[in-house]
Amino acid sequence: MQKQMEKMLMPIAVKLGNNVVLRSLRDGFLIIMPLIIVTSIFLLIGNFPIPGWSAFWTHILGAKWNDWFAAVSNSVFSFTGILSCMGIAYAYGKNRGLQAIHSSVIAIISFLILTPTTVKVGKSTVSAVQTIYLGPNGVFLGIFIALLSVEIYRFAVKRDWRIKMPEGVPPAVGQAFDALIPSALVIFAFFLVRILFSLTNFDTAYNFIYTLLQQPLKGVGNSMPSVLLYNFLASLLWCFGINGPTITNSVWQPIFFVLTQDNLTAFKNHAALPHIFTQPFIDIFTTYGGGGSTLSLLIIMLFVCRSKRIKELAKLAIVPGIFGINEPIIFGLPVVLNPIIALPFIIVPTLNTLLSGLVFMAGWVPRTNGVMLPWTTPPIISGWLATGSWTGSVLQIVEIMLGVAIYYPFIKMLDKQYLTEERQTQAQDNVEIDFGEV
């Protein structure tokens, strides 16, 4: 059965992993992820979940201290749509063999061409751009613009539609003229797109994408079956040596990203948090110690198992495991192609997803506030910071202990097997050779 599963899943996983569009989506979001994490810390400091925190800093820094921190977080969170467009275009252009910086810049210009540039103030109309078009609500539009603009640009480059400069011209000048005609083609194409949408009831491309695609996809992604499938597939792929989240994130990440940004916007405005199944929910309340929620497994390995091989591995892996790094366990125990551990490795994160979802739905733990903590933030601390409540930490402790109970019989079977092998090896080493009989 294992061979049949491997035969069926491996080609799909490899195909998804090598797909240039999905790979570019993943890499593009990773470009802006450090900015989101850093500015999230500023947002968290400005809204730290401790009574008296705001009054304390107001007393020290004055009444405007929160505005200073908000200015930093708004510099990214109010522009995640156009930043996503930039990052994805950069990655997609690079993966398509183009000048990545040209791809990125032309995508930003295309985004701005399609962005509404007037705002109604009372009865008059003034020229302005609302950040609602550039922020989380513009993420899906940004994805389409990034991919389409790069493809149009590539179309012209492949046909060598460029102005050829004479020899002796500096390379930077030559590259600028090389990009002239492809850039003009992209700009003209999006100029036409803007005119076409203005002739429809949608009026703008933003309204079209948001109404027909972004909202429905958010509804599908923000559901229990969707996140259960996400974690099941991610864990299953790990069992075959494939980094599961790198595959599943290619599909789910844009949806989780938008849901997270919605919660972050609500958190900044001190409004009710709209979504449960955000990226922090996935990262902080479904897996502990990395894929498969192996922190629970490590606890048993360290304190219960008797095999020297397992105990030594646990001593080496426990500190990285607390910070979410579990490659030593996945490849050292191993988890990969190990039918004994594969079952709990899939069951534990999937069960955590179900349990956390039900707890959040019941309102026993506040929803995640959208702040993106570094993925190495240890559990208990991360649960508190992500929800602003000690109940988030309690849920994490309960799920880690539940994982211990599920992993226990399976790792004990493996421990027994390894222990037998170690005793056999030791017995062979202790055999005394009678040279008189040789």
Side-chain angles (χ1 to χ4, degrees):
M1 182 178 175
Q2 183 173 321
K3 287 183 177 177
Q4 288 177 340
M5 290 288 288
E6 186 178 352
K7 188 177 178 182
M8 182 178 68
L9 289 174
M10 280 293 282
I12 298 172
V14 170
K15 199 168 184 177
L16 286 173
N18 291 332
N19 183 279
V20 67
V21 173
L22 295 179
R23 198 168 74 240
S24 300
L25 289 179
R26 182 194 64 205
D27 295 346
F29 280 115
L30 287 178
I31 289 173
I32 65 170
M33 196 55 71
L35 299 173
I36 292 174
I37 291 174
V38 171
T39 49
S40 287
I41 294 171
F42 280 81
L43 180 65
L44 192 59
I45 293 173
N47 300 273
F48 212 63
I50 293 180
W53 177 264
S54 179
F56 173 75
W57 285 109
T58 301
H59 178 70
I60 293 178
L61 300 176
K64 291 188 176 179
W65 77 274
N66 196 273
D67 293 341
W68 301 339
F69 283 87
V72 177
S73 55
N74 287 337
S75 68
V76 171
F77 300 135
S78 297
F79 302 95
T80 46
I82 194 167
L83 288 173
S84 304
C85 177
M86 179 205 68
I88 292 165
Y90 186 94
Y92 192 51
K94 188 176 180 181
N95 290 333
R96 284 294 197 185
L98 302 174
Q99 285 279 345
I101 187 64
H102 288 164
S103 305
S104 185
V105 171
I106 197 63
I108 292 173
I109 299 302
S110 303
F111 191 103
L112 293 174
I113 290 173
L114 295 187
T115 303
T117 52
T118 56
V119 177
K120 284 192 174 180
V121 181
K123 293 183 179 179
S124 59
T125 302
V126 298
S127 296
V129 175
Q130 296 184 58
T131 54
I132 187 175
Y133 300 118
L134 310 177
N137 290 338
V139 169
F140 275 64
L141 178 63
I143 292 172
F144 277 100
I145 290 173
L147 300 177
L148 185 59
S149 63
V150 170
E151 278 302 322
I152 296 172
Y153 190 91
R154 181 168 169 264
F155 176 83
V157 169
K158 280 182 68 177
R159 282 154 184 79
D160 201 22
W161 291 352
R162 63 190 177 96
I163 298 174
K164 297 178 181 176
M165 300 299 291
E167 292 184 4
V169 171
V173 176
Q175 288 177 6
F177 277 89
D178 285 347
L180 194 64
I181 293 178
S183 299
L185 187 64
V186 176
I187 290 171
F188 184 70
F190 281 92
F191 165 72
L192 292 179
V193 170
R194 173 157 186 150
I195 293 175
L196 287 174
F197 275 106
S198 70
L199 300 176
T200 68
N201 292 331
F202 292 103
D203 191 37
T204 65
Y206 168 86
N207 289 335
F208 176 79
I209 295 292
Y210 187 80
T211 306
L212 294 188
L213 189 67
Q214 184 157 326
Q215 278 294 76
L217 277 178
K218 279 168 64 177
V220 173
N222 188 29
S223 65
M224 182 73 86
S226 171
V227 289
L228 285 172
L229 180 63
Y230 168 89
N231 257 331
F232 171 78
L233 290 177
S235 305
L236 182 64
L237 290 169
W238 261 128
C239 294
F240 294 97
I242 302 165
N243 189 329
T246 63
I247 305 299
T248 51
N249 279 345
S250 301
V251 178
W252 270 273
Q253 192 174 40
I255 300 171
F256 289 148
F257 184 78
V258 172
L259 295 172
T260 304
Q261 294 299 303
D262 284 351
N263 274 22
L264 194 64
T265 303
F267 178 62
K268 285 194 299 181
N269 296 326
H270 305 286
L273 302 172
H275 307 303
I276 292 175
F277 304 110
T278 61
Q279 190 69 52
F281 172 88
I282 296 294
D283 294 341
I284 296 173
F285 290 101
T286 63
T287 55
Y288 306 101
S293 201
T294 49
L295 187 58
S296 303
L297 175 62
L298 266 170
I299 292 171
I300 313 172
M301 290 170 60
L302 192 62
F303 295 107
V304 178
C305 290
R306 296 165 59 198
S307 159
K308 290 180 181 176
R309 174 179 169 181
I310 291 179
K311 284 195 83 71
E312 290 303 317
L313 178 62
K315 289 176 186 174
L316 292 171
I318 186 67
V319 174
I322 291 171
F323 293 94
I325 300 167
N326 67 347
E327 275 77 1
I329 295 295
I330 288 179
F331 298 104
L333 189 58
V335 171
V336 175
L337 299 179
N338 186 335
I340 296 177
I341 297 300
L343 193 58
F345 188 86
I346 296 171
I347 289 175
V348 173
T350 307
L351 191 61
N352 286 345
T353 306
L354 178 64
L355 181 61
S356 295
L358 293 174
V359 168
F360 276 88
M361 285 178 185
W364 294 344
V365 174
R367 297 179 180 187
T368 55
N369 50 31
V371 171
M372 291 292 289
L373 298 169
W375 61 275
T376 51
T377 307
I380 301 177
I381 297 173
S382 60
W384 173 52
L385 292 177
T387 61
S389 169
W390 58 270
T391 55
S393 300
V394 171
L395 175 61
Q396 289 184 313
I397 294 170
V398 169
E399 291 185 338
I400 290 171
M401 290 300 106
L402 181 63
V404 167
I406 295 172
Y407 268 116
Y408 182 82
F410 295 93
I411 188 62
K412 282 300 288 179
M413 273 195 285
L414 195 64
D415 183 47
K416 187 177 179 182
Q417 178 187 329
Y418 286 172
L419 202 59
T420 304
E421 292 173 1
E422 286 170 7
R423 285 171 177 166
Q424 288 174 348
T425 303
Q426 191 175 15
Q428 289 173 359
D429 291 342
N430 291 336
V431 171
E432 294 185 3
I433 301 174
D434 186 351
F435 289 97
E437 296 180 355
V438 177

